[in-house]
Amino acid sequence: MKKIISILCSLLCLAGCSESAEQELGYRQITMDKAISMMETEKDYIILDVRTIEEFSDKHIPGAICIPNETIGTEEVPELQDKDQLIMIYCRSGNRSKQASEKLVALGYTNIVEFGGIIDWPGQTVSGNN
């Protein structure tokens, strides 16, 4: 019985840690599988690729838009009008997407989801600037 209580307490602590980490970040980090699931079920979201235009042109997730991380600063982002809209962000490996997520949260965006890099993307990709 003590073992069960101990396990339950540990699980509650872990759940609390993930919530506080999310609150601290201001955005959610999810797995590729969760991102794919969300893309299948959610409506009215933006897939945001924050790599360079050249990287985007070479290969990107269908339906994504490209706003390079380096161009996101302290001013409003014209392509992202609705600050409450679900924005799902990726880059090549996950580093720039985390940076961009932090910047967008600082600009007042409230529904940011970061899901890593295209190098781990198991789904279809397209090339070109569309």
Side-chain angles (χ1 to χ4, degrees), residues 16-74:
C17 289
S18 66
E19 281 182 33
S20 63
E22 184 179 313
Q23 289 172 351
E24 190 174 300
L25 291 173
Y27 63 91
R28 292 180 287 161
Q29 289 182 289
I30 61 172
T31 64
M32 286 285 168
D33 289 338
K34 178 68 176 169
I36 290 168
S37 175
M38 288 178 74
M39 289 175 193
E40 292 171 350
T41 59
E42 295 288 330
K43 297 189 178 0
D44 193 34
Y45 60 87
I46 292 174
I47 304 171
L48 178 58
D49 185 322
V50 295
R51 299 174 299 150
T52 65
I53 298 291
E54 293 78 20
E55 289 173 297
F56 180 82
S57 182
D58 181 49
K59 171 174 89 168
H60 60 271
I61 296 172
I65 64 169
C66 182
I67 303 173
N69 178 46
E70 295 75 23
T71 66
I72 301 171
T74 57

Side-chain angles (χ1 to χ4, degrees), residues 35 73 107 116 126:
L107 287 170
V126 294

